[in-house]
Amino acid sequence: MWTSLLLRGTTCFVQVATPRFLHQRPFPPLCARLLTQRPLRRTPCGLELRGEGYFLAHSGTRAFKRDAKSSLEPAVSPVTVTDIKQYLRTKEIPFHDGYSCLHTPSIFVKPSARRDSFSLFVDKTTGQFLCKDTLVEGSWEDLQDCLEVMLKEEQDFLSPRVLLEYPDSAQEQEDMEWELREVQRIWSSSVPFSDLPEDEARLIKTMFQITKISNATLKRFGVRLFKPTKSLVFPWFGGPDSSLKGVKLLSAQSTDTDKVIYNEATVPKCNSYYNLFGLPLVGRMDAEVVLTGHELDTLAVSQATGLTSVALPRGVSCLPPILLPYLEQFKRVTLWLGDDIRSWEASKIFSRKLAFRRCSLVRPGEYRPCPAEALAQGKDLGQIIKSSIPAAHKSIMSFKQLRDDVYGELVNREQVAGVKWGRFQELNRILKGHRKGELTIFTGPTGSGKTTFISEVALDLCMQGVNTLWGSFEINNVRLAKIMLTQFAMQRLEENLEQYDYWADKFEELPLYFMTFHGQQNIKTVLDTMQHAVYLYDINHVVIDNLQFMMGQENLSVDKFAVQDHIIGVFRKFATNSSCHVTLIIHPRKEDDDRELQTASIFGSAKASQEADNVLILQEKKLVTCPGRRSLQVTKNRFDGDVGIFPLDFIKSSLTFATPIKGKHKLRQVAGKPEDELEVKKEVRKEVRKEVKKEVKKEEVKKEKAAKTTKTPRTDKKLNESMEK
């Protein structure tokens, strides 16, 4: 059933981990003193903005409810744009072919009251629809049902009440009412900049580095100041009556190094906040728009160029498909999302949703910072927008078109290397980071902890804002979520149940999604679900556990190795085309327990190791006299060629892996040659033999003390036999 644009939920406060729009800069002492008077502290629900009795933190009781976004149902029969067009033609419904949506007359408005004859938009990719006049939205199946009812009863329109939501629980109703009251309280308590004393207004602008933004521009966009926390308030007006539906608060916090960090808070919560800031100022005849990643950038573009500009509600992290209908009227869309590699990558991804042929991108660079900084530096924003490059790609290009991209990778080496792991520094030394568009093959012996290890690796990235989709085919989602929650809390919550709500609330805020598959699945079904998730939630990392479970429903008459090669090729193509990192777990072939795994140990043909950008092997050395030792070996790294191996210790209390701190356990890197790799393995074997020799000597000493008799020590031959065992 359909859900209205005003989604429900408790208030969520998100701290911007990596400020995108204004980099950390030296801060004026006067402003720093003002900031320290209104501290921000972290609460179990998020950030709490305190000051003079005001605070924005919801401390309601826990409500048990199913979140529709927590898991992805398998796409049994995904709809295509051809199916949608064919259905509309059979029902004799006129439509226009737009950039990302099909435009049809709204069936929820009387024909005499229709301001725009084509105000109902159907997404070409998902089939979801939105009526801009009534804000009725729903799935393609919902729209089909409505059309069937309308044609059967020979009506020319349907009331929006035909589509009813599931009844709200008492807790949901209470949360929604609380949010509405909170929005009204914040808005009524905020003050326009024109009503502030001149000195105070100048000081606030200096805090947020918007001294060149005039009060007239702030008033036109409705920006106010929330005095209790010294926060900028950006309103969300929407709906047929342009009512106030939410607010975003931007606060500044000084650090010990005289730098400033910006924090955002939204009401309602961030995953229900769909505000295209600046949309009410868009005219019906406007054909060009500048899409920015932050509200301050939109203010700068509008004031400096006079062009229509809107800001995305979640910056560069996501472009919700529900906002695409509001961008359909523009024939030219310029994406100026920021001044770093992450913003550049997001611009290329978003241009796919918006249609390449109408998009142009502002390439980040020294002379092209984000709009707010460009205005502060006195640069010509209009000229920067004119110098944007078209997003449409061609089959052939010259080095001239690649020159700036190559230079950008040389200048921004750390950002190009990808997202760094916080818990696995040795992995950062070898792989340099986690990059989009790559395929990683991960293998290890049965029972060595492959799922547990890769879940912590994915959780580490997810905690840093990498949108992650998990496809677990071996264990169910409840058990997987329990493992990841234990790793997130770094403790056994079974022994600390009173802390469950605290950690569960924080874990729920992670951009983590699960596919509802379990057991053997068809590759086409899995791929359709992955593509849907990338489009809907801008997924950056997909984990598949594991390959063998997806081969069960394929044609049994085909060679299993050919089937595996086909599946690996599909994932390779998906990772490249979707700019999404895919981690694929593959069981190894049967090997002797005393033999270490190699790249050739991966089950199947050489297709997996050839297509992969990275190959990771979880080694486990089983010993007789002591627990087995684990180590992680990187045997392929296409990014820069570095490979290596380092030991791992398993911490059972938190289900996490850590690198031993002992001095003898150091990261060993090789240059990628087979003979160097053999040398590393020899060194590992030497260390293992030393450990075994020590254990044997200890056992002999114990036996001698127990028997209290003098025994002839073992010969070297017997010692070697014990070591071999």
Side-chain angles (χ1 to χ4, degrees):
M1 290 302 241
W2 70 285
T3 55
S4 66
L5 270 179
L6 187 57
L7 301 177
R8 287 131 174 84
T10 55
T11 305
C12 166
F13 298 97
V14 178
Q15 180 175 7
V16 183
T18 307
R20 177 208 57 76
F21 50 98
L22 293 177
H23 295 288
Q24 297 182 357
R25 297 176 177 176
F27 212 57
L30 180 60
C31 299
R33 289 199 301 270
L34 178 60
L35 289 175
T36 54
Q37 296 173 3
R38 299 291 183 264
L40 290 87
R41 70 182 186 89
R42 188 172 292 280
T43 67
C45 294
L47 287 177
E48 184 173 308
L49 311 176
R50 288 206 172 268
E52 299 182 7
Y54 290 89
F55 67 95
L56 296 174
H58 186 42
S59 57
T61 58
R62 179 180 171 209
F64 293 90
K65 61 181 181 179
R66 182 179 297 275
D67 187 358
K69 295 184 178 180
S70 61
S71 61
L72 294 176
E73 296 293 340
V76 179
S77 55
V79 65
T80 64
V81 64
T82 304
D83 297 333
I84 298 174
K85 291 180 179 179
Q86 185 176 359
Y87 179 83
L88 295 177
R89 290 191 183 102
T90 57
K91 300 301 179 182
E92 298 182 353
I93 298 176
F95 63 87
H96 291 164
D97 196 345
Y99 296 102
S100 56
C101 302
L102 297 178
H103 310 179
T104 68
S106 177
I107 61 175
F108 302 103
V109 180
K110 294 181 180 180
S112 59
R114 292 175 184 167
R115 295 176 297 175
D116 187 352
S117 58
F118 291 83
S119 60
L120 191 143
F121 297 84
V122 183
D123 193 294
K124 293 182 180 181
T125 304
T126 63
Q128 293 181 334
F129 74 91
L130 169 68
C131 174
K132 291 174 63 175
D133 292 337
T134 61
L135 296 186
V136 175
E137 64 172 278
S139 65
W140 172 241
E141 290 77 12
D142 292 335
L143 182 59
Q144 286 179 304
D145 294 340
C146 291
L147 290 172
E148 295 293 343
V149 171
M150 188 182 71
L151 296 176
K152 183 178 180 180
E153 298 183 1
E154 298 181 354
Q155 298 180 359
D156 54 358
F157 82 101
L158 287 178
S159 171
R161 299 181 181 275
V162 172
L163 293 177
L164 298 177
E165 269 191 305
Y166 294 110
D168 298 329
S169 64
Q171 182 65 44
E172 290 176 338
Q173 187 67 25
E174 179 183 350
D175 291 341
M176 185 183 68
E177 294 176 355
W178 181 89
E179 286 179 350
L180 293 177
R181 292 195 302 268
E182 192 70 7
V183 169
Q184 294 297 333
R185 181 184 68 84
I186 295 173
W187 185 247
S188 60
S189 302
S190 57
V191 181
F193 272 77
S194 58
D195 296 344
L196 293 175
E198 185 176 351
D199 294 342
E200 184 177 0
R202 186 184 305 109
L203 184 59
I204 295 297
K205 289 183 179 181
T206 304
M207 284 174 51
F208 293 95
Q209 302 180 356
I210 55 171
T211 54
K212 293 191 176 182
I213 301 294
S214 64
N215 289 345
T217 301
L218 296 172
K219 181 179 181 180
R220 190 159 60 92
F221 282 86
V223 181
R224 295 186 178 184
L225 174 67
F226 187 59
K227 281 190 172 183
T229 58
K230 291 295 185 290
S231 305
L232 297 182
V233 181
F234 304 103
W236 175 16
F237 295 105
D241 54 351
S242 298
S243 59
L244 182 65
K245 303 178 64 176
V247 293
K248 175 187 284 190
L249 289 89
L250 181 67
S251 303
Q253 182 181 11
S254 62
T255 62
D256 298 335
T257 58
D258 290 335
K259 294 182 179 180
V260 60
I261 297 177
Y262 294 91
N263 301 283
E264 292 180 354
T266 62
V267 186
K269 62 179 182 178
C270 54
N271 59 356
S272 301
Y273 185 79
Y274 296 102
N275 177 27
L276 275 175
F277 179 73
L279 187 63
L281 300 179
V282 175
R284 295 173 61 86
M285 302 304 294
D286 290 342
E288 182 178 354
V289 66
V290 179
L291 202 60
T292 69
H294 196 270
E295 289 79 4
L296 296 182
D297 292 340
T298 290
L299 297 175
V301 170
S302 177
Q303 176 174 304
T305 65
L307 297 174
T308 302
S309 179
V310 295
L312 296 176
R314 306 178 201 175
V316 299
S317 63
C318 182
L319 172 57
I322 194 63
L323 300 178
L324 296 179
Y326 298 99
L327 302 172
E328 279 290 294
Q329 75 177 74
F330 302 109
K331 296 181 180 180
R332 175 182 169 86
V333 179
T334 303
L335 288 89
W336 193 356
L337 301 183
D339 55 359
D340 54 12
I341 292 296
R342 185 187 177 195
S343 303
W344 176 245
E345 292 179 351
S347 299
K348 293 187 286 187
I349 294 174
F350 294 168
S351 62
R352 298 175 185 173
K353 294 184 178 182
L354 297 167
F356 281 114
R357 63 182 184 272
R358 64 164 174 165
C359 292
S360 59
L361 315 178
V362 175
R363 189 193 304 273
E366 180 181 359
Y367 301 103
R368 292 180 294 273
C370 63
E373 290 186 7
L375 181 64
Q377 297 174 11
K379 297 185 180 298
D380 188 348
L381 275 69
Q383 186 61 35
I384 295 177
I385 294 175
K386 289 181 180 179
S387 64
S388 59
I389 61 175
H393 60 281
K394 296 181 180 180
S395 301
I396 301 176
M397 59 178 58
S398 63
F399 178 73
K400 182 178 181 180
Q401 296 171 282
L402 299 173
R403 179 168 179 166
D404 289 340
D405 287 333
V406 174
Y407 179 76
E409 292 203 1
L410 294 175
V411 173
N412 305 283
R413 291 181 299 173
E414 292 297 323
Q415 297 184 29
V416 172
V419 181
K420 307 293 184 182
W421 284 274
R423 301 185 180 186
F424 302 96
Q425 297 302 322
E426 291 81 1
L427 206 56
N428 290 332
R429 296 185 188 181
I430 302 178
L431 293 180
K432 305 302 183 292
H434 180 271
R435 294 166 290 277
K436 297 179 182 179
E438 292 190 353
L439 174 65
T440 295
I441 300 297
F442 180 66
T443 189
T446 301
S448 59
K450 293 188 296 296
T451 301
T452 304
F453 174 76
I454 210 67
S455 66
E456 185 181 8
V457 171
L459 176 64
D460 190 337
L461 297 169
C462 190
M463 292 168 61
Q464 301 179 63
V466 177
N467 300 345
T468 305
L469 175 65
W470 250 98
S472 177
F473 302 91
E474 281 197 81
I475 63 177
N476 58 45
N477 289 332
V478 175
R479 188 175 174 188
L480 176 62
K482 177 185 174 183
I483 293 174
M484 299 185 74
L485 181 60
T486 303
Q487 295 172 335
F488 181 71
M490 301 289 288
Q491 61 178 316
R492 290 279 189 177
L493 293 178
E494 299 96 323
E495 303 171 0
N496 302 279
L497 290 177
E498 68 280 358
Q499 300 183 23
Y500 176 78
D501 283 337
Y502 171 77
W503 289 110
D505 289 341
K506 298 183 68 176
F507 187 76
E508 188 177 349
E509 298 300 329
L510 297 178
L512 179 63
Y513 304 88
F514 300 90
M515 288 188 279
T516 57
F517 299 122
H518 185 64
Q520 299 174 349
Q521 294 294 332
N522 182 276
I523 178 60
K524 187 178 185 304
T525 305
V526 176
L527 186 63
D528 290 339
T529 305
M530 292 165 54
Q531 291 173 341
H532 176 79
V534 169
Y535 180 81
L536 203 60
Y537 305 119
D538 293 296
I539 296 298
N540 305 130
H541 186 202
V542 177
V543 182
I544 300 295
D545 183 17
N546 59 62
L547 175 65
Q548 279 80 355
F549 271 83
M550 291 188 300
M551 298 173 58
Q553 292 186 359
E554 300 294 338
N555 191 348
L556 298 179
S557 63
V558 182
D559 180 33
K560 61 180 180 180
F561 294 118
V563 174
Q564 176 174 324
D565 291 348
H566 168 70
I567 294 175
I568 293 174
V570 169
F571 282 129
R572 169 75 270 177
K573 184 178 180 180
F574 169 82
T576 302
N577 294 342
S578 302
S579 188
C580 178
H581 193 113
V582 176
T583 299
L584 181 60
I585 301 177
I586 304 179
H587 286 305
R589 67 187 182 186
K590 295 299 181 181
E591 298 277 5
D592 296 336
D593 292 340
D594 59 343
R595 293 185 58 184
E596 292 184 346
L597 298 180
Q598 301 176 359
T599 302
S601 302
I602 300 174
F603 182 83
S605 66
K607 178 80 170 178
S609 58
Q610 291 172 354
E611 294 283 359
D613 297 285
N614 313 293
V615 176
L616 279 63
I617 302 177
L618 184 62
Q619 302 283 8
E620 183 181 28
K621 185 67 175 179
K622 296 183 179 180
L623 304 176
V624 178
T625 57
C626 62
R629 297 186 179 276
R630 296 183 179 91
S631 59
L632 184 68
Q633 183 177 7
V634 179
T635 61
K636 183 178 181 180
N637 175 12
R638 188 170 284 170
F639 179 71
D640 65 354
D642 287 349
V643 295
I645 184 172
F646 57 89
L648 290 173
D649 282 346
F650 179 65
I651 306 174
K652 191 174 182 180
S653 60
S654 60
L655 302 180
T656 57
F657 290 83
T659 304
I661 311 178
K662 297 180 181 180
K664 62 182 179 181
H665 293 299
K666 295 183 179 180
L667 175 67
R668 292 182 289 282
Q669 289 189 346
V670 296
K673 298 182 180 180
E675 55 269 22
D676 294 335
E677 186 175 346
L678 290 175
E679 290 296 327
V680 172
K681 292 182 178 179
K682 289 180 181 178
E683 293 178 6
V684 174
R685 292 193 184 101
K686 288 181 181 179
E687 289 188 4
V688 173
R689 287 177 179 174
K690 289 180 182 179
E691 295 292 336
V692 174
K693 189 174 182 180
K694 291 180 181 179
E695 293 294 333
V696 172
K697 288 184 178 180
K698 289 181 181 179
E699 292 293 333
E700 290 180 354
V701 172
K702 289 181 180 179
K703 290 181 180 179
E704 290 176 358
K705 291 183 179 179
K708 294 183 179 180
T709 58
T710 305
K711 295 184 179 180
T712 304
R714 294 185 177 184
T715 62
D716 292 341
K717 182 177 181 181
K718 293 183 179 181
L719 178 60
N720 292 333
E721 291 177 355
S722 300
M723 292 173 60
E724 291 296 328
K725 292 181 180 180

